[in-house]
Amino acid sequence: MTSTELNTSSESVVFSVADKGEMPGNYAARKRKNQIMEGILFLAILMALIPLALILFEVIRRGASAMNFEFLTSVQNISLIREGGGYLNGLFGTLYMVGIASLIAVPLGVATATYVVEYSNSKLVPFIQFFTDVMTGVPSIFVGLFVYTILVQGDSIFGGFSTLAGGLGLSLIMIPIIARASEEVIRLVPDDLRNAAYGLGARRWQVVMQIVLPTAASGLITASMLAVARAAGETAVLLLTALGAFKIVPELLGSPQAALPLIIFNEARGPFEPAHARAWAGALELMLLVLLLTLIARYIGRKTQV
Amino acid sequence: MTINHNGSAAGLAVEAKNMNVYYGSFRAVKDISLKIERNSITALIGPSGCGKSTVLRSFNRMNDLVPSARVEGEILFQGNNIYAENVDPVEVRRRIGMVFQKPNPFPKSIYENVAWGARINGFKGNMDELVEQSLHHAALWDEVKDKLDQSGLSLSGGQQQRLCIARTIAVKPEIILMDEPASALDPIATLRIEDLIRELKKEYTILIVTHNMQQAARASDYTAFFNMDSDRAGYLVEFSETDEIFTNPKHELTEQYITGRFG
């Protein structure tokens, strides 16, 4: 109950006489309705949070029991039946490919969003918005197939499953997410700041690069992290581009690459208990990785603000 | 191209000639002709929606940023029409600066707020000196000299507005346009801004839009009174010395407005 509410019981004590006129107020009834609605909203939140909490709880419970120093520091056990080994090759591959994907997707996504907002009178903008929307909705297996067809199947030096193919596939997932989220962030930069900059005799690119983007920096980092989290957990794309590997693969080209979600997928779908335990630990590792990256990004984001 | 310093009418800072401003097909202001003297303060007054801000923004081509806006007629700055085809609006805005209604410092340090405009305009001199000098001129130096690296947003509203004035001065404009610069400030901060404006006129020509009659009467040398006609287009009713407008207005509308009977 907020302090602005005068009516604390079902019948107003203070104003009971005045309220009986032609403006009865219906305070009690309205208050009841208000409380019911609040209750419904609360229930809805609860129901949305339950599966989330269960996932989290289960991943931590099962993952933590299988997580140990060996798991974090050794590469994959080739045998699904035997205990031991870890996902270090997958962690390495995931960081490697998400890194490449970010290098491609963050500049392109932010640039797209910048164009859409700052050059909004361009006739291209509705098309760009339409295609980024469509790209956001493209099933990731299609993206995998696309990269598979034009890159992996080819005879060029880019042919075959590789780190680069995986990174490119992930970047295609990330670009529309970053573009869409960044667009909202850049729109939030007040026009007052743009006007002030123009009023001082700034060119548009100076306004964009030195005022708009720095002002939006922390939001842009958050937008990028959204996409990084999505890419780090992406599996379908990598099945057709990176394939998977049992060792640490530093090569950019010519050799298949491992990834955490790929290993989790491979070990979880079989009937073998030691593999299942590792898959849970891998899921926990992936979750912690995204959490850590998000925290780092938040920290950097806060540092960029004056 | 560079706007040359020759050929300007003696004593005139800027002159609007038969200016019409349209937003799409809507004519926002019509047939404005206005001669602004150098080192004077001119107040633009009038009821809400009469186009005084539009007129003000036309003087440094800020209306170019509104996609549907179009200006007809001429604005002569040092003898050249700033709307001529070969004129770069960016140069116009550097030489005819603007202070906005709401204080809008950049989310940068106080120092950087002042230095930024000069830097992007290729300032080659001593930046520290320029920043100090600009803050002095804006009557803000003593309050911020020990915290130049703090965010401009950490200042109070009145200080922020003076920071915005310092920022404008730092790019060395010849004319400063002010769009209700004190309307978001408390009375004391408002008086400080007015004192500052009077101080600034020694070096700059100032045009100021205000809703505040007392402010116009207190702070300006000339006053232009605008009104809106039946098709909602703003027009200039009367332009004269401020004393004249407030003691002996020629038009009945002016008298009604300054005495508060409409608007």
Side-chain angles (χ1 to χ4, degrees):
Chain A
M1 173 138 351
T2 64
S3 59
T4 53
E5 276 178 65
L6 287 163
N7 196 353
T8 49
S9 66
S10 56
E11 279 303 314
S12 173
V13 182
V14 187
F15 296 109
S16 55
V17 183
D19 283 347
K20 298 300 181 198
E22 57 184 10
M23 194 85 73
N26 302 329
Y27 298 112
R30 278 158 58 196
K31 196 168 116 188
R32 211 160 38 245
K33 202 179 224 170
N34 195 43
Q35 284 166 337
I36 291 170
M37 285 317 204
E38 226 176 285
I40 290 174
L41 284 181
F42 181 73
L43 273 178
I45 295 168
L46 209 64
M47 277 160 73
L49 284 180
I50 284 172
L52 255 168
L54 282 179
I55 291 174
L56 223 80
F57 175 76
E58 201 62 4
V59 167
I60 292 171
R61 189 176 68 86
R62 300 227 199 182
S65 61
M67 175 80 79
N68 52 40
F69 186 71
E70 188 197 352
F71 181 84
L72 288 172
T73 54
S74 42
V75 298
Q76 210 179 332
N77 189 341
I78 294 179
S79 166
L80 294 178
I81 306 163
R82 277 180 239 284
E83 306 229 346
Y87 283 5
L88 187 62
N89 54 328
L91 180 65
F92 177 81
T94 288
L95 286 173
Y96 197 169
M97 288 187 289
V98 170
I100 290 171
S102 302
L103 283 181
I104 300 167
V106 172
L108 285 181
V110 172
T112 306
T114 305
Y115 187 82
V116 166
V117 179
E118 300 297 322
Y119 295 75
S120 57
N121 48 356
S122 157
K123 294 203 171 29
L124 277 175
V125 163
F127 292 98
I128 298 170
Q129 286 181 310
F130 176 73
F131 281 112
T132 45
D133 278 348
V134 170
M135 265 178 83
T136 316
V138 168
S140 49
I141 191 76
F142 282 14
V143 174
L145 266 175
F146 173 71
V147 177
Y148 181 78
T149 312
I150 63 158
L151 214 64
V152 178
Q153 272 191 326
D155 297 326
S156 68
I157 51 156
F158 298 108
F161 296 105
S162 67
T163 312
L164 184 71
L168 281 177
L170 293 182
S171 76
L172 291 181
I173 299 284
M174 289 173 71
I175 289 169
I177 299 173
I178 296 176
R180 246 359 196 154
S182 302
E183 195 186 314
E184 301 305 321
V185 170
I186 294 172
R187 255 185 234 292
L188 284 180
V189 174
D191 269 338
D192 287 353
L193 290 183
R194 292 186 181 88
N195 284 333
Y198 282 121
L200 290 169
R203 298 267 169 215
R204 179 139 70 173
W205 70 269
Q206 290 172 322
V207 178
V208 170
M209 296 303 291
Q210 296 178 42
I211 301 296
V212 176
L213 293 183
T215 304
S218 69
L220 294 176
I221 289 169
T222 308
S224 303
M225 281 317 298
L226 209 71
V228 164
R230 169 76 203 278
E234 187 54 59
T235 320
V237 171
L238 297 180
L239 282 172
L240 290 164
T241 54
L243 191 65
F246 284 105
K247 56 181 181 12
I248 285 177
V249 182
E251 289 88 7
L252 188 63
L253 284 164
S255 170
Q257 178 62 277
L260 282 177
L262 280 180
I263 308 176
I264 294 169
F265 173 67
N266 280 327
E267 296 217 306
R269 64 179 166 162
F272 309 108
E273 198 42 53
H276 286 181
R278 284 193 297 263
W280 279 111
L284 180 61
E285 188 176 13
L286 189 58
M287 214 173 73
L288 292 176
L289 177 69
V290 170
L291 184 71
L292 187 71
L293 289 176
T294 307
L295 287 177
I296 293 171
R298 283 271 166 84
Y299 178 74
I300 296 170
R302 212 166 300 147
K303 282 267 154 177
T304 60
Q305 279 175 326
V306 180
Chain B
M1 71 150 251
T2 308
I3 298 169
N4 73 58
H5 287 262
N6 309 315
S8 59
L12 278 191
V14 67
E15 176 182 4
K17 266 185 167 172
N18 303 316
M19 183 178 69
N20 288 279
V21 186
Y22 298 83
Y23 294 116
S25 59
F26 169 64
R27 180 153 74 164
V29 297
K30 65 176 183 185
D31 299 330
I32 306 286
S33 291
L34 207 55
K35 288 181 179 175
I36 306 297
E37 277 204 45
R38 232 175 245 159
N39 298 92
S40 68
I41 302 172
T42 303
L44 312 183
I45 63 170
S48 296
C50 73
K52 37 190 199 308
S53 286
T54 296
V55 169
L56 189 78
R57 292 164 58 88
S58 299
F59 278 104
N60 71 341
R61 296 192 62 168
M62 283 300 280
N63 281 333
D64 290 22
L65 303 172
V66 181
S68 66
R70 184 164 50 88
V71 177
E72 279 176 8
E74 291 185 330
I75 288 184
L76 298 176
F77 174 53
Q78 300 180 344
N80 292 289
N81 179 13
I82 63 167
Y83 283 93
E85 232 165 70
N86 53 356
V87 170
D88 185 348
V90 168
E91 190 195 340
V92 172
R93 293 187 202 122
R94 203 283 288 159
R95 298 179 62 176
I96 305 180
M98 187 146 200
V99 176
F100 298 83
Q101 183 170 4
K102 240 174 68 193
N104 53 358
F106 300 125
K108 299 175 185 289
S109 68
I110 292 169
Y111 183 98
E112 207 40 45
N113 259 284
V114 181
W116 190 78
R119 188 174 305 123
I120 57 157
N121 280 298
F123 177 69
K124 292 274 193 301
N126 184 333
M127 189 61 86
D128 291 351
E129 237 167 62
L130 179 74
V131 169
E132 177 171 348
Q133 193 185 24
S134 304
L135 286 168
H136 263 303
H137 277 168
L140 189 60
W141 174 253
D142 292 332
E143 290 157 68
V144 301
K145 62 181 180 217
D146 299 321
K147 49 177 185 179
L148 291 175
D149 56 340
Q150 281 180 27
S151 170
L153 297 171
S154 67
L155 300 174
S156 73
Q159 289 174 323
Q160 286 189 12
Q161 194 62 300
R162 276 178 280 146
L163 179 62
C164 292
I165 291 172
R167 171 176 80 180
T168 304
I169 296 170
V171 299
K172 304 193 180 299
E174 283 128 89
I175 300 173
I176 302 176
L177 310 174
M178 299 185 170
D179 193 353
E180 299 187 51
S183 66
L185 306 178
D186 63 68
I188 291 167
T190 298
L191 286 178
R192 290 203 67 168
I193 296 282
E194 283 175 21
D195 286 345
L196 174 58
I197 291 170
R198 267 191 296 271
E199 195 59 33
L200 288 173
K201 98 172 182 173
K202 289 176 193 157
E203 285 174 66
Y204 309 94
T205 305
I206 293 165
L207 274 84
I208 174 169
V209 165
T210 178
H211 265 120
N212 181 335
M213 285 312 105
Q214 289 175 323
Q215 188 169 69
R218 271 196 306 256
S220 71
D221 305 313
Y222 298 91
T223 298
F225 170 61
F226 293 84
N227 193 22
M228 200 174 9
D229 71 7
S230 50
D231 56 357
R232 288 167 50 234
Y235 65 100
L236 181 62
V237 179
E238 190 168 352
F239 174 51
S240 167
E241 286 183 22
T242 297
D243 285 344
E244 187 79 6
I245 291 267
F246 280 90
T247 55
N248 188 20
K250 297 269 179 303
H251 290 257
E252 203 179 328
L253 270 175
T254 314
E255 187 175 337
Q256 285 176 356
Y257 183 74
I258 58 169
T259 53
R261 263 176 283 163
F262 84 102

